[in-house]
């Protein structure tokens, strides 16, 4: 998303607060020492045989026998490192063994910064209970500029939060004021609200998210979240909407009322699969649960016990470190191992290649692959059932044809509608931490692929940002047939942000911002059309459907620039779009919403959507 939106306080994040380095290191050392001093015979909700495997220096494993003070020392030190580390290289995973943490007298309070994964190790979300909070607040770029628009790249999963502790404004609920690439999965929130904006730090400010799946909550305070997708969950109510709120297979969701308020609700999700997760079984064995794919589903997968699927012992995974070469990783994959990427940044001078059906690639702590020498960092072969979760991929200084490629597109491609290759929480980035170049972020050639919470981002702030500095043409290109996307975000690419060439494609929720930095209209037009649409369905496609799509414009380099349309599709009975909108964020003009339909948005009404309920 952007650090600039419909408000004057939304400015780019280009600096960070000075850290208390010595204090952080001392607190972290103390916490590590306390973890090491926990006796093997200490009381715990899991057997003594459940010793943590060696997952590297940036994975912390907490036991309910540890004191709240010890855990707080550890998590607070990591938060101090990561709260402003938006473009840094540090990655962390915080794992909680089954049991209860914190009490009403001494609640456990966890704050989550950049590149930090917080997860429970139970077979069910109810196996790990945190009495307290796991919060994300506004990030203060300056004392008078505290926002959530840049709160990316973090996650929360597989635990229960019994909201208690803190005072005044903070006591009312668990705060998750995050934007893109900050998924909440398999979370059970009781004892208070879930609040998706931080109205306590410098007053209510904009957030630009987001994604929740397979979770059960009480009342949800949406607040300033400009757009949001909740999928296959249970909620106790929803407070309000801004531009585009989509619910798919959600018990308790409001009925469709787009555009006033802008709710779009699907009773069931056409195709879904939940992300694999680590857990410790009753015998103390570390396992990875791989949920099955389902069709036309609703509600949480764990309502009646363990999520349907299969469990794979962690011993069947190659546990990779950032120091491992791609050659070593590929050798282990070829021998039949699954892949667990421990937190860190992996240089990929050639493709990590998955050729075996049903292989699981699971990244911890938003582990990142960085392209070197123009490589495609991850390639999935022409096989069904591959599942990739929690991965970031960065473009490098030499242009890559793609950052992730699924299938070759050859006629011999094997796919399985009942066992689709699935990408979950996969985030693609061109620029931001450094200058990068790519043609395409994600290229999908295999049929029946499922995309769940994908963010392709050509950076609009950070390092290495500029029209010719971090060039990239398309965020997502779909060539396969019968591909479904649930939660698709694609932003700032220089041409069509998303191109859909395959038949029978479906998208449930789409969010797009057109590029900010086009130098002038001459540089950003084609074939007599001004600019490029944010979502393009190929002229040859006969069947396609989209629910809940937004495209926004903010051409701040040249505010006179126009884009002819946000969405461009063939006019045919099989191509149907529902709940579409465009928004002007302070510069530029979007002339139409879809094709030549829909009123323009321009500087006369900043932040006010132009809506199209259905097309054609």
């Amino acid at each position: 998303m952007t650090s600039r939106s419909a408000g004057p306080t939304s400015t780019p994040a280009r600096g960070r607060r000075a850290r208390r380095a010595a204090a952080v290191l001392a607190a972290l050392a103390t916490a590590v020492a306390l973890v090491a001093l926990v006796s093997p015979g200490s009381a715990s909700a899991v057997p003594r045989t459940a010793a943590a495997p060696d997952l590297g220096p940036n994975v912390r494993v907490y036991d309910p026998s540890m004191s709240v003070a010890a855990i707080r020392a550890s998590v607070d030190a990591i938060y101090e490192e990561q709260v402003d580390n938006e473009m840094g290289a540090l990655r962390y995973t915080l794992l909680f063994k089954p049991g209860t943490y914190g009490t009403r007298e001494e609640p456990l309070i966890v704050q989550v910064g950049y590149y930090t994964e917080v997860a429970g190790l139970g077979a069910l979300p109810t196996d790990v209970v945190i009495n307290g909070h796991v919060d994300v607040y506004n990030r203060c770029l300056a004392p008078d500029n505290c926002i959530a628009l840049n709160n990316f790249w973090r996650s929360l999963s597989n635990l229960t939060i019994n909201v208690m502790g803190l005072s005044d404004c903070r006591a009312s609920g668990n705060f998750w004021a995050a934007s893109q690439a900050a998924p909440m999965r398999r979370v059970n929130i009781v004892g208070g609200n879930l609040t998706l904006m931080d109205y306590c730090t410098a007053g209510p400010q904009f957030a630009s998210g987001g994604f929740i799946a397979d979770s059960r909550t009480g009342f949800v305070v949406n607040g300033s979240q400009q757009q949001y997708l909740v999928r296959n969950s249970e909620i106790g109510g929803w407070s309000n909407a801004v531009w585009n709120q989509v619910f798919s297979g959600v018990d308790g969701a409001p009925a469709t009322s787009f555009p006033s308020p802008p709710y779009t609700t699907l009773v069931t999700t056409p195709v879904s699969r939940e992300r694999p997760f680590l857990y410790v079984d009753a015998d103390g064995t570390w396992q990875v649960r791989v949920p099955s794919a389902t069709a036309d589903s609703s509600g949480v997968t764990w309502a009646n016990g363990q999520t349907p699927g299969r469990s794979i012992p962690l011993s069947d995974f190659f546990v990779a470190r950032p120091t491992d070469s791609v050659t070593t990783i590929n050798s282990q994959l070829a021998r039949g191992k699954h892949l667990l990427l421990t937190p860190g940044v992996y240089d990929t001078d050639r493709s990590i290649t998955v050729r075996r059906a049903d292989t699981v690639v699971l990244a911890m702590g938003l582990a990142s692959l960085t392209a070197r020498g123009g490589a495609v960092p991850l390639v999935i072969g022409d096989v069904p059932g591959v599942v990739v979760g929690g991965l970031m991929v960065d473009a490098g200084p030499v242009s890559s044809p793609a950052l992730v490629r699924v299938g070759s597109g050859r006629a011999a491609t094997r796919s399985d509608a009942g066992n689709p290759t699935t990408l979950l929480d996969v985030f693609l980035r061109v620029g931001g931490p450094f200058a990068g170049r790519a043609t395409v972020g994600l290229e999908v050639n295999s049929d029946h692929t499922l995309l769940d919470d994908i963010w392709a981002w050509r950076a609009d702030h950070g390092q290495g940002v500029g029209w010719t500095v971090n060039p990239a043409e398309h965020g997502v290109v779909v060539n396969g047939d019968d591909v479904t996307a649930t939660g698709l975000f694609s932003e700032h690419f220089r041409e069509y942000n998303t191109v859909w060439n395959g038949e029978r494609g479906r998208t449930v929720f789409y969010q797009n911002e057109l590029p900010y930095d086009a130098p002038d209209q001459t540089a950003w037009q084609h074939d007599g059309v001004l600019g490029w649409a944010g979502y393009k369905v190929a002229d040859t496609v006969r069947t396609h459907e989209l629910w809940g799509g937004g495209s926004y414009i903010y051409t701040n380099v040249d505010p006179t620039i126009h884009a002819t349309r946000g969405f461009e599709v063939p006019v045919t009975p099989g191509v149907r779009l529902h709940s579409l909108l465009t928004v002007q964020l302070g510069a530029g003009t979007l002339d139409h919403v879809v094709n030549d339909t829909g009123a323009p948005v321009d500087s006369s009404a900043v932040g006010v959507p132009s809506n199209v309920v259905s097309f054609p």
Side-chain angles (χ1 to χ4, degrees):
M1 179 61 181
T2 169
S3 52
R4 167 79 185 186
S5 189
T9 61
S10 306
T11 54
R14 300 186 183 276
R16 61 177 65 143
R17 292 181 292 178
R19 298 193 187 89
R20 300 188 297 274
V24 167
L25 293 174
L28 188 56
T30 300
V32 172
L34 286 167
V35 172
L37 287 171
V38 174
S39 168
S42 298
S44 174
V46 295
R48 288 172 55 186
T49 54
D54 184 1
L55 298 174
N58 287 6
V59 176
R60 305 286 189 268
V61 180
Y62 305 108
D63 187 284
S65 65
M66 293 178 63
S67 70
V68 171
I71 298 173
R72 280 292 302 269
S74 174
V75 300
D76 286 353
I78 290 169
Y79 176 72
E80 287 295 329
E81 280 190 305
Q82 298 299 92
V83 61
D84 288 320
N85 197 22
E86 182 179 356
M87 300 299 175
L90 286 172
R91 309 284 188 269
Y92 286 100
T93 294
L94 314 181
L95 298 176
F96 290 81
K97 289 183 178 180
T100 300
Y101 298 79
T103 63
R104 188 164 297 279
E105 294 73 26
E106 190 180 16
L108 176 60
I109 309 299
V110 179
Q111 291 192 59
V112 185
Y114 286 101
Y115 311 111
T116 303
E117 172 189 23
V118 178
L121 286 171
L124 298 172
T126 50
D127 291 343
V128 174
V129 178
I130 292 179
N131 289 317
H133 286 248
V134 182
D135 288 328
V136 176
Y137 298 143
N138 290 339
R139 177 182 170 207
C140 290
L141 309 177
D144 60 347
N145 184 20
C146 298
I147 60 173
L149 287 171
N150 290 353
N151 282 352
F152 314 138
W153 306 312
R154 63 202 78 196
S155 70
L156 176 63
S157 63
N158 200 33
L159 47 74
T160 292
I161 301 169
N162 184 18
V163 180
M164 61 179 63
L166 301 178
S167 61
D168 301 325
C169 189
R170 299 287 187 207
S172 63
N174 194 83
F175 285 72
W176 193 255
S179 292
Q180 288 89 338
M184 178 183 292
R185 294 182 180 267
R186 288 177 63 86
V187 175
N188 182 43
I189 296 180
V190 298
N193 297 331
L194 169 62
T195 299
L196 300 179
M197 75 166 180
D198 176 5
Y199 46 80
C200 303
T201 304
Q205 299 292 340
F206 288 104
S208 178
F211 183 86
I212 294 173
D214 204 22
S215 295
R216 179 183 288 160
T217 76
F219 192 80
V220 180
V221 179
N222 176 67
S224 62
Q225 286 285 356
Q226 296 163 340
Q227 62 278 313
Y228 221 93
L229 172 63
V230 184
R231 181 184 62 69
N232 290 75
S233 294
E234 299 175 13
I235 62 175
W238 190 270
S239 68
N240 63 291
V242 180
W243 294 332
N244 183 28
Q245 318 288 308
V246 179
F247 306 87
S248 183
V250 178
D251 297 341
T256 294
S257 55
F258 186 91
S260 182
Y263 296 143
T264 304
T265 300
L266 287 72
V267 175
T268 60
T269 301
V271 182
S272 63
R273 189 202 292 267
E274 303 307 329
R275 176 173 153 181
F277 59 92
L278 276 168
Y279 75 101
V280 180
D281 69 16
D283 296 324
T285 302
W286 285 60
Q287 307 251 22
V288 172
R289 187 70 175 178
V290 185
S292 302
T294 61
D296 300 319
S297 60
S298 64
V300 299
T301 63
W302 43 274
N304 299 312
Q306 177 61 291
T307 295
R310 60 191 170 113
S311 291
I312 304 172
L314 189 57
S315 57
D316 288 352
F317 282 74
F318 175 59
V319 179
R321 305 286 187 90
T323 51
D324 289 316
S325 68
V326 174
T327 299
T328 297
I329 292 171
N330 281 339
S331 175
Q332 293 291 327
L333 288 168
R335 293 175 186 177
K337 289 283 192 179
H338 303 277
L339 178 60
L340 183 74
L341 295 164
T342 59
V345 177
Y346 296 70
D347 285 338
T348 52
D349 57 354
R350 64 198 68 187
S351 300
I352 294 175
T353 306
V354 180
R355 294 191 172 95
R356 183 171 56 92
D358 299 315
T359 298
V360 176
V361 177
L362 184 59
M364 302 182 70
L366 291 94
S368 303
L369 309 180
T370 299
R372 298 299 181 197
V376 179
L378 178 64
V379 172
I380 299 170
D382 296 319
V383 295
V386 174
V387 180
V388 179
L391 183 66
M392 290 191 66
V393 187
D394 278 302
V398 178
S399 185
S400 296
L403 299 181
V404 174
R405 179 176 289 144
V406 181
S408 67
R410 294 192 296 266
T413 297
R414 291 187 293 130
S415 63
D416 184 347
N419 184 25
T421 285
T422 307
L423 277 60
L424 309 102
D425 304 335
V426 173
F427 310 131
L428 311 144
R429 188 167 60 179
V430 182
F434 42 75
R437 294 169 174 263
T439 303
V440 176
L442 170 63
E443 179 185 303
V444 179
N445 300 309
S446 293
D447 297 344
H448 300 292
T449 301
L450 174 59
L451 309 175
D452 190 59
D453 188 29
I454 306 297
W455 187 30
W457 186 61
R458 177 178 167 263
D460 62 278
H461 66 274
Q463 302 298 314
V465 173
W467 190 249
T468 60
V469 178
N470 63 329
E473 310 317 309
H474 311 293
V476 179
V477 175
V478 177
N479 298 316
D481 294 336
D482 301 290
V483 173
T484 298
T486 49
L488 184 58
F489 305 75
S490 184
E491 298 189 294
H492 308 308
F493 291 87
R494 302 199 311 178
E495 296 184 6
Y496 294 126
N497 277 246
T498 294
V499 182
W500 209 292
N501 297 314
E503 284 288 356
R504 297 176 299 280
R506 293 176 293 191
T507 297
V508 179
F509 181 90
Y510 180 71
Q511 193 263 327
N512 162 253
E513 282 190 356
L514 299 171
Y516 291 180
D517 56 343
D520 51 50
Q521 192 74 72
T522 300
W524 198 51
Q525 61 181 331
H526 68 102
D527 304 314
V529 176
L530 302 179
W532 299 75
Y535 190 96
K536 166 69 175 178
V537 178
D539 296 342
T540 56
V541 169
R542 303 272 67 86
T543 305
H544 186 90
E545 196 157 12
L546 179 150
W547 296 265
S551 180
Y552 313 152
I553 190 167
Y554 176 64
T555 51
N556 64 327
V557 172
D558 181 354
T560 68
I561 284 178
H562 284 241
T564 297
R565 55 186 65 100
F567 297 81
E568 185 175 306
V569 302
V571 181
T572 182
V575 176
R576 296 174 295 172
L577 286 73
H578 316 275
S579 303
L580 303 179
L581 68 144
T582 55
V583 181
Q584 200 257 27
L585 302 178
T589 299
L590 245 170
D591 294 323
H592 302 287
V593 178
V594 52
N595 292 0
D596 297 326
T597 298
V601 291
D602 56 28
S603 57
S604 65
V606 175
V608 178
S610 176
N611 300 300
V612 171
V613 174
S614 62
F615 184 88

